[in-house]
């Protein structure tokens, strides 16, 4: 089968490799349809010292596809079903997996497309427990964004921050894949949404998808604008994923007792924090990495209900490197999809 493999830093090649095997007991074989790009793909493309992996490596961490065949004992799927795949190889038997907190698995074998072979290939064979059926009204194109993008937002805003209708939310980097979904999800709940973006064009686009206020952080200090918008009260929730450049200012934007969830550090991983501010203002800060499988199902339900993804670019697999370069350039607004 054809696959896209990483041989070294920024060295991607389309190659013919051995096809995925027939499914064994409890497994399914899937024809991959589309891969959605995320910053984890950029990190892998650049080369990250902390990633223990063997080259060459099939890339792609988030995808959708169609069931081709099923193994013995599989009853939840049939050939022809549209599905998405959970990209972390969790054990399924530890106490966290058993209570539905798959992203806290104590024996995870790796993330597909980053540590171990991923989805940028024609077929994959995997355990059925890591596969979810796509609702009938959801396209494979949109569904490809559910396993990481929607589930990450769901886990940050709903599981961790317990976002409630009518609250005010600050979404950092609203033009990113997860940023656009955070705007749309919060707005669908009746929240007031403030977002930051890097230029006026993105500001217009953010307003068009539902943001109530869009701040160009290159021309204005967003924390001052947020305090003005909220009449110095601050926001209830901050959706933070940009890192050192914005983290302390994001804390300053919170109301007393406000909640902040963070899942990224693209602008830097180290900060200094005012601990007196933290405890006096009674902030709640959540580190959020990945999401449980259940959050993917919840994300698919949101797509089915009309909270559709914002697609920036769609390209064939032969232009995967170009897609990564666009994501790396930060010119993107929404998601980039690569069709296999």
């Amino acid at each position: 089968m054809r696959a896209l493999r990483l041989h070294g830093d920024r060295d991607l090649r389309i190659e013919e490799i051995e096809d995925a095997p027939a499914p064994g007991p409890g497994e399914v074989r899937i024809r991959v349809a589309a891969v959605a790009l995320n910053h984890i793909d950029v990190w892998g493309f650049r080369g990250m010292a902390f990633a223990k992996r063997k080259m060459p490596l099939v890339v792609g961490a988030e995808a959708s596809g169609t069931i081709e065949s099923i193994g013995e004992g599989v009853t939840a799927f049939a050939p022809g079903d549209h599905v998405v795949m959970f990209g972390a190889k969790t054990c399924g038997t530890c106490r966290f997996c058993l209570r539905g907190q798959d992203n806290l698995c104590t024996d995870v074998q790796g993330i597909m497309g980053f540590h171990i072979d991923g989805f940028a290939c024609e077929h994959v064979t995997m355990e059925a427990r890591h596969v979810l059926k796509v609702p009938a009204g959801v396209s494979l194109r949109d569904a490809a964004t559910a396993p990481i993008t929607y589930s990450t937002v769901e886990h940050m805003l709903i599981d961790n921050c317990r976002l409630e209708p009518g609250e005010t939310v600050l979404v950092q980097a609203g033009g990113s894949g997860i940023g656009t979904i955070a705007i749309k999800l919060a707005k669908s709940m009746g929240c007031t949404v403030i977002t930051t973006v890097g230029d006026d064009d993105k500001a217009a686009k953010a307003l068009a998808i539902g943001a109530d206020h869009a701040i160009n952080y290159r021309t204005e200090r967003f924390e001052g604008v947020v305090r003005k918008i909220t009449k110095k009260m601050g926001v209830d929730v901050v959706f933070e994923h940009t890192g050192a450049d914005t983290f302390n200012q994001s804390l300053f934007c919170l109301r007393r007792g406000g909640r902040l969830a963070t899942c990224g550090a693209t602008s830097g991983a180290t900060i200094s924090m005012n601990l007196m501010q933290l405890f006096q203002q009674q902030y709640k800060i959540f580190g959020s990495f990945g999401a449980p499988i259940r959050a993917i199902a919840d994300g698919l339900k949101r797509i089915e209900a009309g909270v559709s993804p914002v697609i920036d670019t769609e390209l064939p697999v032969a232009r995967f490197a170009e897609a990564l370069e666009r994501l790396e350039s930060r010119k993107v607004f929404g998601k980039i999809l690569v069709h296999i």
Side-chain angles (χ1 to χ4, degrees):
M1 67 174 174
R2 185 176 61 166
L4 183 66
R5 298 205 292 179
L6 186 69
H7 284 257
D9 295 359
R10 300 180 182 273
D11 182 8
L12 282 167
R13 307 175 197 174
I14 294 179
E15 301 175 317
E16 288 291 327
I17 65 171
E18 185 177 352
D19 205 354
E27 294 182 333
V28 294
R29 188 174 191 264
I30 300 164
R31 173 67 170 90
V32 180
V35 172
L37 298 194
N38 297 275
H39 273 287
I40 194 170
D41 299 295
V42 173
W43 297 337
F45 182 53
R46 290 173 179 169
M48 301 295 281
F50 64 80
K52 295 181 180 179
R53 52 190 176 169
K54 294 181 180 180
M55 300 291 183
L57 176 78
V58 178
V59 298
E62 181 177 39
S64 63
T66 302
I67 299 286
E68 283 196 336
S69 55
I70 61 174
E72 181 182 350
V74 174
T75 58
F77 302 101
D81 285 346
H82 287 180
V83 295
V84 295
M85 299 78 88
F86 184 62
K89 287 282 189 175
T90 54
C91 70
T93 58
C94 72
R95 63 191 177 101
F96 294 107
C97 285
L98 291 175
R99 64 189 188 199
Q101 295 177 293
D102 317 82
N103 55 320
L104 292 177
C105 176
T106 59
D107 190 26
V108 64
Q109 297 171 38
I111 298 172
M112 294 178 69
F114 190 70
H115 304 106
I116 55 180
D117 283 341
F119 297 114
C121 54
E122 292 181 302
H123 305 100
V124 292
T125 298
M126 57 191 302
E127 291 184 74
R129 67 185 179 89
H130 284 148
V131 179
L132 296 92
K133 192 176 296 186
V134 174
V138 176
S139 69
L140 282 172
R141 169 186 180 269
D142 288 354
T145 66
I148 292 178
T149 311
Y150 274 82
S151 69
T152 295
V153 175
E154 192 79 29
H155 191 50
M156 290 174 71
L157 289 182
I158 307 303
D159 295 348
N160 288 322
C161 288
R162 304 293 182 185
L163 182 65
E164 297 180 1
E167 292 192 307
T168 301
V169 186
L170 171 62
V171 176
Q172 292 286 13
S176 65
I178 59 173
T180 55
I181 301 308
I183 290 171
K184 297 190 73 172
L185 188 156
K187 197 61 189 176
S188 73
M189 293 179 61
C191 295
T192 298
V193 180
I194 306 169
T195 190
T196 64
V197 291
D199 58 55
D200 291 341
D201 179 58
K202 286 186 179 181
K205 290 178 178 177
L207 293 171
I209 65 169
D212 297 282
H213 308 273
I215 305 165
N216 183 341
Y217 63 81
R218 298 186 189 278
T219 59
E220 297 184 279
R221 291 178 65 91
F222 73 83
E223 65 273 28
V225 179
V226 169
R227 299 293 291 185
K228 184 176 180 180
I229 291 170
T230 61
K231 296 180 172 57
K232 298 184 180 181
M233 291 297 294
V235 300
D236 298 290
V237 169
V238 175
F239 182 89
E240 169 65 62
H241 58 107
T242 57
D245 284 356
T246 59
F247 192 88
N248 282 324
Q249 296 95 316
S250 289
L251 284 179
F252 183 72
C253 292
L254 283 174
R255 67 162 175 82
R256 193 178 189 191
R259 297 97 73 196
L260 179 150
T262 182
C263 72
T266 53
S267 68
T270 303
I271 63 164
S272 295
M273 181 185 292
N274 184 329
L275 292 178
M276 290 186 69
Q277 178 193 18
L278 173 63
F279 65 73
Q280 286 179 348
Q281 295 300 317
Q282 301 178 58
Y283 295 148
K284 298 175 180 65
I285 300 175
F286 301 93
S288 189
F289 183 75
I293 292 176
R294 188 222 75 254
I296 302 175
D298 291 345
L300 287 168
K301 290 176 184 176
R302 293 204 189 264
I303 299 174
E304 185 182 25
V307 185
S308 56
V310 177
I311 306 298
D312 175 272
T313 307
E314 296 182 70
L315 294 170
V317 68
R319 295 170 66 185
F320 195 96
E322 180 184 334
L324 280 174
E325 287 169 9
R326 179 164 176 78
L327 183 59
E328 197 172 12
S329 74
R330 298 189 180 184
K331 294 178 181 178
V332 63
F333 188 86
K335 294 292 293 183
I336 297 176
L337 296 182
V338 174
H339 296 279
I340 304 301

